[in-house]
Amino acid sequence: MRRFPFAAAVLLAALVLPACPPAQAQAAADQAAFEQRFNGWRAQYDQALQLHLRGVASSGQARDLYAAALLWPDDGHGAAQGAARPPAAGIDERSVWMQAALDARPRDPLVARFEAMGCPGSNVQCDAAGALTFLLREEGDNLFVQLLAFIDAQQRGDAKASARAWRAATQAARYDAMQIEFGGVLADAVSGLPVPPMDAALRQAFMTPDGMHEGAEGADWPRVTALAALAMRSLPNFLVVTRYCGPTQTHDDRERWDDCKSVFALMARDGNDLIGRMIGIGMMTRLTAGTPQELRWREERRQLQWLQTAASRFLPPSTGQVALDTYLDWHLRDGEIVTLRRLLEANHQPLTAPAGWTPATSREQ
């Protein structure tokens, strides 16, 4: 399984990741002193997050347990600052919660997606086959689920299961990776998290020359934590599917060519997550090359490129039109595509690319 960056990675890397303090912090104080001050605050934040997540997990609900496990902070900040060890020292709470989420019955479809992909990055007992069987029974009309089955069969070398899953994929009625629902679960899990205050010097270090905070507002950090977890989520190895539909495989096989177009057209049309939309449109552009449909899909790709390129200029805090907390809520609860459109609307920019615009002309500007 692979991890794909999302548009939010730009914001996270540039504004809020602790490893990269703003340039003005370096000018205001010694770099080592800044890092020590920030790491001390981060240790307090991680302790508050741990305490909060224990409360979230105490509900015993599968999604709460799953979210708490994914949001649990990596080791290092608290220990590095000599912070007191948590009450549950010696217990791998993240793994305990994740295992409980996987074991909950009836299965939760969001948790089952993670389990069907092999529980990547988790130290748990993972019943991927059982989770996949559950998803196929509950969501047999979902292309995302059928592609999970196809990828699994291909990687196991099971030709019969692969053919069966592929046929079902071509007949799917919808595509839903549940990314938006996942973002909402993460947002709910950090809601109400108390954030330790930053001292005046630390707050000042995160100020831009025009007085805008670069992601250091205390209220923003829980949502930043949730967005980071969303951005790092695991996705199926779609490379298995794109290779199956590659030029060599489809050149002399009209049936496979038609099937591949059916699969990726649905992903392009129905995918409400940016990765799914990008893969679907990109593959349709390739599959329709040299046909009357090619111009349509090239235009679809140009419009998606415009959305990404134009909206990226207005990520908070580049302008004051959209507050960071609003942007984070949009991204978590409504997805990247809706968020990019709202950024353009808020900054009075067109939602469709002007005639003649290409990514190359944007770079020249």
Side-chain angles (χ1 to χ4, degrees), residues 150-162:
F150 176 74
I151 292 168
D152 172 70
Q154 285 275 302
Q155 292 178 329
R156 289 187 293 103
D158 187 335
K160 289 185 178 179
S162 177

Side-chain angles (χ1 to χ4, degrees), residues 44-205:
Q44 296 177 42
Y45 173 78
D46 282 354
Q47 285 184 323
L49 177 60
Q50 290 173 340
L51 182 62
H52 177 81
L53 292 176
R54 291 187 184 111
V56 171
S58 68
S59 77
Q61 297 298 309
R63 290 193 178 189
D64 289 340
L65 291 160
Y66 179 51
L70 292 175
L71 291 164
W72 187 260
D74 292 331
D75 294 335
H77 289 102
Q81 298 301 311
R85 295 183 65 81
I91 299 176
D92 184 358
E93 293 174 90
R94 170 186 282 176
S95 295
V96 170
W97 295 340
M98 183 63 79
Q99 190 67 65
L102 300 177
D103 293 343
R105 295 295 181 273
R107 276 187 163 98
D108 181 277
L110 181 59
V111 179
R113 279 161 165 73
F114 174 78
E115 189 171 13
M117 290 187 284
C119 307
S122 294
N123 183 27
V124 293
Q125 292 182 337
C126 190
D127 181 12
L132 183 56
T133 298
F134 165 79
L135 289 172
L136 289 170
R137 183 177 67 248
E138 298 296 318
E139 300 183 55
D141 65 334
N142 188 348
L143 175 58
F144 181 85
V145 170
Q146 294 297 344
L147 290 181
L148 283 179
F150 176 74
I151 292 168
D152 172 70
Q154 285 275 302
Q155 292 178 329
R156 289 187 293 103
D158 187 335
K160 289 185 178 179
S162 177
R164 184 167 58 249
W166 182 249
R167 180 53 47 203
T170 64
Q171 298 171 354
R174 61 192 180 96
Y175 178 88
D176 183 10
M178 289 189 76
Q179 180 192 311
I180 293 178
E181 195 162 352
F182 180 39
V185 168
L186 294 173
D188 289 342
V190 298
S191 178
L193 167 61
V195 180
M198 291 184 176
D199 61 40
L202 194 55
R203 289 199 306 271
Q204 182 63 34

Side-chain angles (χ1 to χ4, degrees), residues 274 278 281 300-308:
L274 187 58
M278 289 172 62
I281 292 176
E300 291 272 359
R301 185 176 65 180
R302 189 178 78 95
Q303 293 298 335
L304 186 60
Q305 290 170 333
W306 163 259
L307 189 63
Q308 294 174 269

Side-chain angles (χ1 to χ4, degrees), residues 279-300:
I279 294 174
I281 292 176
M283 284 299 296
M284 287 304 297
T285 303
R286 182 190 304 175
L287 288 164
T288 59
T291 74
Q293 295 177 310
E294 180 182 6
L295 290 179
R296 172 203 164 184
W297 288 106
R298 286 193 177 277
E299 178 61 14
E300 291 272 359

Side-chain angles (χ1 to χ4, degrees), residues 335-359:
E336 310 107 319
I337 295 174
V338 169
T339 299
L340 294 174
R341 288 174 176 157
R342 287 177 179 169
L343 283 174
L344 291 179
E345 290 175 338
N347 288 275
H348 311 291
Q349 299 295 310
L351 296 180
T352 56
W357 179 90
T358 67

